[in-house]
Amino acid sequence: MASGRMEFHADTIMQHTNFCFVLPNDFIMEEIKDPSHYDRPPKSLILLHGLTGTDTDWLYGGVAQEISKQYNMAVFMPTAGNFFYLDHGYPGGNYASFIGEELPEYIRSTFGFCESRENTIIAGLSMGGFGTIHTALAFPERFSAAIALSSALVLHEIADTGKRENSLMTPAMLRDVFGDPAELLDSDKNPEILLKKLKKEGKDIPPLYLAIGTEDTLYSCNQDFKAFLEKEGADFFYEEGPGKHDWDFWNEYLPKGIEWALAQKSR
């Protein structure tokens, strides 16, 4: 296994930023539970952090190395601040374009991964779960599947109240990230708007995997988004189980999401 951390200049966010990576290039096959994953070329996984997180979270707190090893996946984990992976419409503030366009292109040109939609998956936790869903729907040509864990699907709460209960994000910060609450639900920051637009245009929509712990404070908003997907007839798989908003849950359910994503090729 090769792992490391790189810094590069990203034009979309106008700064030098970091990403960690794990490459499945020299594992001992005796450690692999299902060697059939090595009968194909490696897949690529872009793995997103949550609020206050960084590129090292999934490497040190999570199971990035085990995912890379067991599923023959090149895993790339960027740092993207606390901006919910959204574009803000000005140079230096386009975090959706960073994740959906610039980062995959940089990975492709530097490492030779993320070379096709078929072989590229996106996943994330909490804020990164929201970012996973939004990015997959904003750039559906990039990703074959999206795995969203404990997703911070809080747009309706923000639109209704201009704030979030028990959140680290103040109303001023929320306005900076999401814009005018009165306009939020009708904007392209809303994954529901993006999905409806893709349906109307007849474009391929990446299938979604959603998982949430039943004791998670975000359980209710995930239930609401599940109901929206059902109403729209979206291609998705929903899973829940005992768990809170913590690494115990994310480390248990990311492999389940990976198994689901890899099975999509046979559908």
Side-chain angles (χ1 to χ4, degrees):
M1 172 189 68
S3 63
R5 192 182 195 210
M6 287 189 67
E7 180 179 294
F8 78 108
H9 179 81
D11 291 334
T12 47
I13 56 177
M14 279 180 59
Q15 67 181 73
H16 283 267
T17 187
N18 299 306
F19 66 90
C20 288
F21 62 87
V22 185
L23 306 181
N25 58 349
D26 58 359
F27 290 120
I28 300 172
M29 290 308 296
E30 287 76 9
E31 299 176 346
I32 309 302
K33 297 174 184 177
D34 184 356
S36 67
H37 291 301
Y38 284 79
D39 294 336
R40 56 161 172 78
K43 300 284 187 179
S44 303
L45 174 66
I46 293 180
L47 194 51
L48 305 182
H49 64 77
L51 190 72
T52 75
T54 73
D55 54 300
T56 64
D57 287 7
W58 276 107
L59 191 62
Y60 298 135
V63 290
Q65 295 185 59
E66 190 67 12
I67 290 295
S68 179
K69 177 171 72 174
Q70 295 299 338
Y71 297 104
N72 188 20
M73 304 192 84
V75 183
F76 299 93
M77 298 154 278
T79 287
N82 296 321
F83 300 96
F84 270 71
Y85 304 95
L86 293 170
D87 280 354
H88 292 84
Y90 55 83
N94 292 324
Y95 293 87
S97 297
F98 169 57
I99 298 297
E101 291 186 325
E102 187 170 10
L103 179 65
E105 284 300 315
Y106 185 84
I107 291 169
R108 182 190 59 78
S109 64
T110 305
F111 292 89
F113 294 105
C114 294
E115 81 288 357
S116 70
R117 179 183 194 263
E118 178 186 5
N119 288 321
T120 307
I121 298 167
I122 186 168
L125 65 89
S126 193
M127 182 188 75
F130 173 89
T132 290
I133 296 167
H134 184 274
T135 305
L137 297 177
F139 301 94
E141 72 283 358
R142 289 283 186 184
F143 305 103
S144 61
I147 302 165
L149 309 177
S150 308
S151 302
L153 295 158
V154 295
L155 269 62
H156 284 272
E157 180 184 356
I158 295 167
D160 289 343
T161 66
K163 61 182 180 180
R164 282 192 61 208
E165 294 297 327
N166 303 315
S167 173
L168 296 174
M169 301 181 73
T170 65
M173 183 178 179
L174 289 170
R175 181 175 281 270
D176 187 51
V177 171
F178 293 104
D180 185 349
E183 300 176 358
L184 178 55
L185 294 184
D186 294 323
S187 74
D188 60 7
K189 293 180 173 64
N190 185 355
E192 296 176 10
I193 294 294
L194 297 180
L195 187 139
K196 289 179 179 179
K197 181 180 178 182
L198 292 175
K199 280 184 60 180
K200 184 177 181 180
E201 296 172 350
K203 293 185 178 180
D204 288 337
I205 302 174
L208 305 176
Y209 172 94
L210 308 176
I212 184 71
T214 51
E215 288 74 51
D216 197 316
T217 57
L218 295 171
Y219 181 79
S220 178
C221 62
N222 276 257
Q223 290 289 297
D224 292 341
F225 190 66
K226 172 177 176 283
F228 164 79
L229 294 175
E230 290 172 338
K231 180 181 178 181
E232 295 296 323
D235 184 1
F236 78 101
F237 182 80
Y238 172 87
E239 199 164 13
E240 65 177 53
K244 299 180 180 180
H245 203 74
D246 58 27
W247 284 104
D248 288 341
F249 184 85
W250 303 323
N251 286 336
E252 178 182 354
Y253 278 83
L254 180 60
K256 294 181 180 183
I258 296 295
E259 294 274 1
W260 167 86
L262 293 176
Q264 300 310 294
K265 65 181 180 180
S266 62
R267 294 177 53 176

